[in-house]
Amino acid sequence: MKKLSCNGYKASFLWRSLPNRFPQHVPPPLHFLFRNLYQKPIFTHTLLHIKCTSITSRNLQVRAHTYLATQLFDKMPHRRVQDFKNAKGHEIFQLVKLVKENPDILSTSQAHGLALKAGMLAHLPTVTTLLIIYSSTKHFSSSLALFAEIMSKDVVTWNAIMTACIKNKFFEFAVKFFAEMVNEGKEFDSATLVIVVSALSNMRDLRKGMIVHCSSVKMGMFSDSLLGNALIDFYAKCSDLSSSECVFGEVECKDIVSWNSIISGCIYNGHPEKSLWYFKQMANLEKGTDSVSLSCAIAASACLDEFSCGQVIQGWGIKLGYEESCHLSVANSLISLYSQSGNIDAAEYVFNIMKQKDIITWNSMISGFSLNGKVGEACDALHEMQFTRTLKPDAVTLISIIPLAAEFMLLRKGRAIHGFTIRREMGAELSVMNGLMDMYFKCKRVKDAEHLFLNMATKDLISWNTIISGYSQNGLCREAQSLLKKFHSWNSECSLSTLLGILPACDSPISIQFGRLIHSWEVKLGFVNNIIIVNSLICMYISCGDLVASFKLLEEIAYIADVDSWNTMISGCTQKCHFSEALNAFQLMRLKFNINNDTITLVNVIPACGNLELTCEGKSIHALALKTSAGQDIRVQNALITMYGKLSDVESARLVFELCFHHNLCSWNCMISALAQNNNAKEAIEFFCLLKFEPNEITMATVLSAFRQLGLIRHGKQIHAYLIRYGFYKNAFVAAALVDMYSSCGRLDIASRVFQNSAERSVAAWNSMISAYGFHSKGQKAIEIFHEMIDSGLTPSKVTFINLLTACSHTGLVDQGYWYYTRMLDEFGVQPSTEHHVCVVDMLGRSGKLQQAYNFIKDLPSQPDPGIWGALLSACNYHGDLQLGKQVASILLLLKPENVGYHLALSNIYVASGSWKEAGELRDIVHLKGLKKSAGYSLIDVGSS
């Protein structure tokens, strides 16, 4: 008791500081209703974290309280002997005891009436038994009224009313009754303290519990094993495991309940390894184990993922006679164990052979199905459970299955569960409401989630975290930021989940300042060394375009950075098209001797090589993958196929595809896309015909791209019909591919109808429509579509401005095009890239503003890409500007001397200006270098309609 004794003085002081008496004008039996003796406890609602093992451990803790509180009254050492005043007294007392065995309110009321008529209310055993019976029938108010009528109360009567409070979950009332008992100078025994400790355990009130503990030591009652067991359980519930272990060590006569209390307490406090250690010590004793011990040990094995250990304990339990078919708690733990190990069939077998099932059994099985992705089975179990007479789904049942509906976006089932909660009046269950809100967000039903949030009577931190994270996940960044400010203005409480939920809302350069504020807040809250939040910050800075800050942050945490930190850096750069930086980060990672790349690393760095057209580096990484097991990973192989497709190395892509041991649909999609990207549209369609899987939206969008290249509108219409038959036409990306296909085949009218009839218009669909109007020289219409897109609430992307600037270029809308270019970053958060610069130069060049285009290139903040100079050279060729053309060509031939197009463009400029000699010399150089230009061709679909 060393740890507890140091708090003895403080606890004794708190005990002595209690009020001596209640106000005189308040009737003694109702003191607890009008006066608070203690500081009111602060209740905080927490999201019930559903894991299979937590269901079992929670069941064990509830059973411990039931044993200590509800059954204690029948086992009290005090037995009162009172004579009956008349002959009927004994008969009435026996009748009351008979009613207690099968209590119901009608029989209880009749027995109460007979006792009252016979003048038996002065007989304490009779009236105390009636008090307990009323409590058992959930008529707690009757228990209170009866208690108030008792004139002379003894310790058993006080214990009975406190037990009634606990049975009806009025824990504060139980403590207040005890305070009234003490202030009136009534004697109490160790059983009284056990009941009070049980109430305080439910209230998680460590301060008052320590007072009771010190009082028991001072009065010499600590030797009672029931009180010692109650204190072990109390400290464990209050998350003070060290004190719980200290009390366990001080208990002289440890019984099986003592061992079970410390074993279950270790699990409750997240120390399953200690739980198994205590179980081993217990097993070595002569007393052996019981079903509760076995259940706790199996639950601890599941927490540690030591599934073989759990099976050994199961075998030992069967040897001792604890078969899972007969012992409820053991079976429940086994269901959780097998569910977590992935052996759902074994869990279902245990469930089916059980002779008796309780609510924990059903919850464990449903949670097991959910954990293993068995959607149908989980729903069937929930449906079957509703038809059991004695059991009905509770909050734990619902929050076992709601995440499943959210993960698989099963909106219909989610709504059915929501309706069930309304019918069963479970709207006050915060954990259920938070789960439903998360489900609606994941199903893209933002308005439904908002409505649920606004109509919640009470909201906790998890409610706010859920809606902030939901806004971020659905691209409503401004709403997420505004809501966080509102939340922080009236509640300074914040958790790690709050920060992780808001950081994805900082996804563009215009959010960089807000992201920095979040970073400062994170430092203030002490999350500096939390690797999860630091990785999220790295991703945030990359999304906002501040690569310097992200690399600096990675450097600052170099001593704790793991492979996930580096993967975050590489994947973030790749996803935001910072491919060179992704490769630099990969090279730095390779220099770290304690960090090895994994599959995720390669999957993100391989596309960087493809986009930068770095053939040598790409093949080097391919070789690195083959040296490790990652080379056999289907995700790496699919990334390699895509990379070789972007490198125009179709043969290497085909070789990787053929060497794959197991193809999936993604493998076929990557190969078809590689062929389509390299103008092998016919072969891509042939591959599609050989497809061994059911196609998905990506397959169909890629095939439509192939038909677009070939201009085969007849076959494109056939694919369109297939999309309508199988429901693919509803997909936004498929609709965008259809718009592209019809536009390229000259049917702008059909493309427009497809766009207008789209159920969902993604950014890709808007981009396709803008491109279509630009392709058909309808620049003004393209601008109108762009503004409609902005009005719809969508944020334009890099491709949006490429298509818009191209449309302006093709229709001579130079001023409008340049106006949109200058506002890309400030108003829309899109960083101008090489493609945008090419569009601007092409736009200025087409209108004859060659010098302005040249000045534009010279004023660029970074080294101009050859493609930008190439656009200006084409303009010089078109307008016959020999002087500027020679100047631009000299720059290009230094950058790319083997590009035949630049040589021929300069030759054509010479010819247009009459400089035949220079043109001839340039042609000779082309022939000497062996440079050849690819021949152009045209296609016609014979028989098209």
Side-chain angles (χ1 to χ4, degrees):
M1 297 296 294
K2 291 182 179 178
K3 178 175 178 181
L4 299 175
S5 61
C6 66
N7 294 316
Y9 175 78
K10 178 180 178 182
S12 299
F13 172 77
L14 290 171
W15 183 262
R16 292 195 302 270
S17 66
L18 293 176
N20 294 323
R21 60 182 62 86
F22 286 94
Q24 296 299 320
H25 64 276
V26 181
L30 300 179
H31 283 163
F32 65 93
L33 293 175
F34 298 94
R35 178 82 178 271
N36 288 327
L37 293 180
Y38 309 115
Q39 179 183 358
K40 290 185 178 180
I42 300 172
F43 293 96
T44 54
H45 298 281
T46 55
L47 177 65
L48 184 55
H49 181 58
I50 292 301
K51 293 177 75 173
C52 296
T53 52
S54 66
I55 294 174
T56 303
S57 59
R58 183 185 179 209
N59 180 33
L60 297 173
Q61 300 287 350
V62 170
R63 291 185 179 208
H65 282 302
T66 303
Y67 173 79
L68 293 172
T70 62
Q71 296 184 10
L72 183 62
F73 180 73
D74 294 328
K75 299 182 180 180
M76 288 179 183
H78 295 81
R79 290 299 178 191
R80 297 161 294 180
V81 179
Q82 288 189 340
D83 295 331
F84 300 104
K85 294 182 178 180
N86 51 57
K88 290 185 179 180
H90 180 73
E91 295 179 6
I92 294 174
F93 182 60
Q94 294 300 321
L95 176 63
V96 171
K97 290 173 66 177
L98 186 65
V99 172
K100 183 183 176 184
E101 294 179 4
N102 294 292
D104 64 82
I105 187 60
L106 181 60
S107 301
T108 306
S109 300
Q110 291 173 346
H112 188 180
L114 288 172
L116 180 63
K117 186 176 181 180
M120 290 285 294
L121 292 184
H123 186 249
L124 286 179
T126 301
V127 74
T128 304
T129 306
L130 282 171
L131 188 152
I132 289 294
I133 297 173
Y134 276 125
S135 170
S136 301
T137 58
K138 304 301 179 184
H139 282 72
F140 181 60
S141 58
S142 298
S143 295
L144 291 176
L146 184 58
F147 180 78
E149 293 176 4
I150 302 173
M151 300 303 297
S152 178
K153 305 178 183 73
D154 64 357
V155 65
V156 180
T157 310
W158 285 97
N159 290 351
I161 191 61
M162 287 188 282
T163 302
C165 292
I166 292 175
K167 288 182 69 174
N168 288 272
K169 302 186 184 304
F170 292 103
F171 307 115
E172 279 194 69
F173 284 6
V175 177
K176 290 174 182 178
F177 270 120
F178 177 65
E180 183 179 350
M181 184 181 182
V182 171
N183 280 286
E184 290 184 3
K186 303 292 185 181
E187 292 185 0
F188 58 86
D189 56 11
S190 60
T192 312
L193 297 183
V194 172
I195 297 170
V196 175
V197 168
S198 178
L200 293 172
S201 179
N202 281 282
M203 295 167 62
R204 306 295 192 268
D205 197 327
L206 181 61
R207 172 176 167 269
K208 295 175 187 175
M210 290 175 66
I211 295 174
V212 175
H213 186 181
C214 292
S215 179
S216 69
V217 174
K218 184 177 180 180
M219 302 180 69
M221 296 181 181
F222 183 72
S223 58
D224 190 312
S225 61
L226 285 177
L227 180 56
N229 297 340
L231 286 169
I232 293 170
D233 182 74
F234 163 74
Y235 282 115
K237 288 291 196 315
C238 293
S239 303
D240 190 355
L241 184 60
S242 59
S243 294
S244 181
E245 291 180 289
C246 184
V247 174
F248 176 77
E250 292 291 330
V251 174
E252 295 180 0
C253 300
K254 298 180 180 67
D255 57 11
I256 198 165
V257 178
S258 310
W259 287 96
N260 289 345
S261 296
I262 193 64
I263 291 170
S264 61
C266 291
I267 297 178
Y268 184 84
N269 285 275
H271 293 281
E273 69 287 346
K274 282 189 176 183
S275 181
L276 284 179
W277 184 86
Y278 279 112
F279 176 77
K280 184 178 179 181
Q281 299 298 314
M282 179 185 181
N284 293 330
L285 300 176
E286 295 181 359
K287 295 179 181 179
T289 61
D290 65 357
S291 59
V292 177
S293 315
L294 292 169
S295 302
C296 289
I298 293 170
S301 301
C303 288
L304 294 170
D305 291 339
E306 294 287 348
F307 305 118
S308 58
C309 177
Q311 290 177 316
V312 170
I313 295 171
Q314 178 192 7
W316 188 49
I318 293 173
K319 185 178 179 180
L320 293 175
Y322 294 101
E323 294 186 7
E324 59 271 14
S325 60
C326 302
H327 291 83
L328 198 60
S329 61
V330 175
N332 291 344
S333 295
L334 285 171
I335 291 172
S336 299
L337 174 79
Y338 285 121
S339 297
Q340 279 195 269
S341 67
N343 191 354
I344 194 65
D345 293 332
E348 198 169 4
Y349 171 77
V350 174
F351 178 81
N352 290 331
I353 66 172
M354 291 176 67
K355 296 178 181 179
Q356 181 184 1
K357 300 180 179 72
D358 62 1
I359 187 70
I360 308 297
T361 311
W362 285 95
N363 289 347
S364 298
M365 195 66 248
I366 292 172
S367 181
F369 283 133
S370 299
L371 191 65
N372 288 273
K374 302 284 186 178
V375 184
E377 290 83 348
C379 295
D380 291 342
L382 178 63
H383 185 262
E384 184 182 350
M385 181 183 181
Q386 294 181 59
F387 287 94
T388 58
R389 292 184 178 181
T390 56
L391 298 173
K392 295 299 177 184
D394 62 0
V396 179
T397 315
L398 297 182
I399 49 183
S400 296
I401 201 167
I402 289 173
L404 196 65
E407 181 182 356
F408 292 95
M409 299 180 71
L410 304 174
L411 180 61
R412 187 175 179 181
K413 291 189 182 298
R415 281 181 164 172
I417 295 170
H418 191 181
F420 180 85
T421 62
I422 295 172
R423 289 196 306 274
R424 292 298 174 89
E425 298 181 350
M426 299 172 68
E429 293 286 348
L430 267 176
S431 55
V432 175
M433 293 297 104
N434 292 338
L436 285 170
M437 190 161 50
D438 180 63
M439 181 273 299
Y440 280 124
F441 273 123
K442 290 189 175 162
C443 292
K444 309 299 181 184
R445 306 288 295 188
V446 176
K447 292 297 181 184
D448 292 335
E450 284 178 346
H451 180 75
L452 194 61
F453 178 80
L454 293 173
N455 286 279
M456 289 171 66
T458 57
K459 303 176 182 69
D460 61 359
L461 179 60
I462 296 167
S463 308
W464 286 95
N465 289 348
T466 302
I467 192 168
I468 290 170
S469 176
Y471 277 142
S472 299
Q473 292 169 6
N474 286 273
L476 301 172
C477 302
R478 292 182 180 177
E479 289 81 354
Q481 294 175 14
S482 176
L483 198 63
L484 179 69
K485 294 175 183 177
K486 181 180 178 182
F487 167 66
H488 189 58
S489 64
W490 64 269
N491 187 1
S492 60
E493 185 181 5
C494 173
S495 67
L496 179 65
S497 299
T498 313
L499 298 175
L500 293 176
I502 191 60
L503 282 174
C506 307
D507 62 347
S508 65
I510 59 175
S511 302
I512 184 65
Q513 191 60 35
F514 188 84
R516 286 171 180 158
L517 291 173
I518 298 298
H519 188 177
S520 302
W521 196 20
E522 169 260 329
V523 173
K524 183 179 179 180
L525 292 171
F527 292 119
V528 178
N529 293 324
N530 188 297
I531 196 68
I532 299 175
I533 192 69
V534 173
N535 291 347
S536 298
L537 284 168
I538 291 172
C539 187
M540 181 272 295
Y541 278 119
I542 295 172
S543 299
C544 293
D546 193 348
L547 296 181
V548 175
S550 60
F551 272 101
K552 184 178 180 181
L553 193 58
L554 182 61
E555 183 181 349
E556 289 175 355
I557 62 158
Y559 61 99
I560 60 169
D562 56 7
V563 66
D564 293 332
S565 305
W566 288 96
N567 286 347
T568 301
M569 189 76 211
I570 294 169
S571 64
C573 290
T574 301
Q575 291 169 11
K576 294 298 179 179
C577 301
H578 302 298
F579 304 116
S580 298
E581 290 78 5
L583 285 176
N584 292 336
F586 177 68
Q587 292 170 358
L588 290 173
M589 178 184 178
R590 295 276 294 160
L591 298 176
K592 303 292 181 180
F593 67 91
N594 59 334
I595 296 178
N596 295 318
N597 57 269
D598 59 7
T599 301
I600 305 299
T601 315
L602 297 178
V603 167
N604 284 286
V605 78
I606 288 171
C609 297
N611 284 281
L612 293 174
E613 299 182 4
L614 300 175
T615 304
C616 183
E617 287 80 355
K619 289 184 175 180
S620 298
I621 295 175
H622 187 179
L624 177 65
L626 294 175
K627 289 182 179 180
T628 63
S629 59
Q632 302 302 318
D633 190 284
I634 189 65
R635 293 169 296 178
V636 174
Q637 292 170 337
N638 293 342
L640 286 168
I641 294 171
T642 303
M643 179 193 74
Y644 282 120
K646 291 185 176 181
L647 294 174
S648 303
D649 190 351
V650 177
E651 292 305 316
S652 294
R654 195 195 311 274
L655 183 62
V656 173
F657 179 82
E658 291 173 352
L659 291 176
C660 290
F661 292 108
H662 302 286
H663 297 115
N664 58 13
L665 180 59
C666 182
S667 308
W668 286 87
N669 288 344
C670 291
M671 193 64 228
I672 295 171
S673 178
L675 292 167
Q677 287 174 8
N678 289 279
N679 297 320
N680 292 334
K682 186 177 180 181
E683 195 173 352
I685 295 171
E686 291 173 356
F687 249 88
F688 171 69
C689 295
L690 298 174
L691 184 63
K692 298 179 181 179
F693 298 89
E694 286 293 326
N696 62 3
E697 293 87 346
I698 298 175
T699 317
M700 304 314 299
T702 307
V703 171
L704 284 170
S705 174
F707 284 124
R708 178 184 62 80
Q709 292 178 24
L710 296 174
L712 301 176
I713 192 171
R714 177 162 50 94
H715 295 87
K717 287 181 177 180
Q718 293 174 1
I719 294 292
H720 192 176
Y722 177 88
L723 296 174
I724 294 173
R725 176 180 298 178
Y726 291 98
F728 289 125
Y729 72 96
K730 297 178 181 179
N731 183 271
F733 295 98
V734 171
L738 281 169
V739 171
D740 276 337
M741 187 270 295
Y742 281 118
S743 171
S744 298
C745 293
R747 295 302 303 269
L748 181 62
D749 55 333
I750 301 179
S752 180
R753 284 206 302 272
V754 170
F755 176 76
Q756 295 296 334
N757 294 328
S758 297
E760 179 186 356
R761 297 175 186 174
S762 65
V763 174
W766 287 97
N767 291 347
S768 296
M769 203 63 235
I770 293 170
S771 176
Y773 281 117
F775 183 74
H776 287 269
S777 299
K778 296 182 180 292
Q780 195 59 48
K781 187 64 177 176
I783 292 175
E784 292 176 9
I785 292 292
F786 172 77
H787 284 287
E788 287 181 23
M789 175 185 176
I790 301 301
D791 294 339
S792 70
L794 291 176
T795 303
S797 65
K798 168 185 172 182
V799 178
T800 309
F801 280 98
I802 292 174
N803 294 341
L804 181 63
L805 293 174
T806 302
C808 293
S809 176
H810 287 179
T811 51
L813 302 174
V814 180
D815 294 336
Q816 292 94 321
Y818 197 77
W819 187 87
Y820 287 114
Y821 170 81
T822 56
R823 283 160 177 77
M824 279 175 54
L825 181 59
D826 295 337
E827 292 190 15
F828 303 103
V830 178
Q831 184 70 41
S833 63
T834 297
E835 291 86 348
H836 301 112
H837 299 151
V838 170
C839 290
V840 172
V841 172
D842 180 68
M843 181 172 59
L844 294 172
R846 283 174 182 265
S847 62
K849 300 179 180 181
L850 302 180
Q851 191 59 44
Q852 187 177 344
Y854 179 80
N855 295 334
F856 173 82
I857 297 174
K858 283 293 186 179
D859 292 337
L860 289 176
S862 58
Q863 182 68 28
D865 189 85
I868 302 173
W869 288 112
L872 182 56
L873 182 61
S874 297
C876 292
N877 181 19
Y878 180 79
H879 291 284
D881 192 327
L882 177 60
Q883 183 178 359
L884 185 58
K886 288 171 64 177
Q887 186 178 352
V888 173
S890 63
I891 297 172
L892 280 170
L893 295 178
L894 286 174
L895 294 173
K896 285 197 172 184
E898 304 301 320
N899 190 303
V900 64
Y902 299 151
H903 289 83
L904 295 180
L906 180 58
S907 175
N908 291 336
I909 295 174
Y910 281 133
V911 171
S913 63
S915 303
W916 292 97
K917 180 180 178 182
E918 289 82 355
E921 291 174 353
L922 197 57
R923 294 276 181 174
D924 293 337
I925 293 173
V926 170
H927 289 302
L928 287 173
K929 290 184 176 182
L931 303 177
K932 292 184 179 180
K933 185 179 180 181
S934 300
Y937 60 90
S938 298
L939 297 172
I940 184 172
D941 182 14
V942 179
S944 62
S945 57

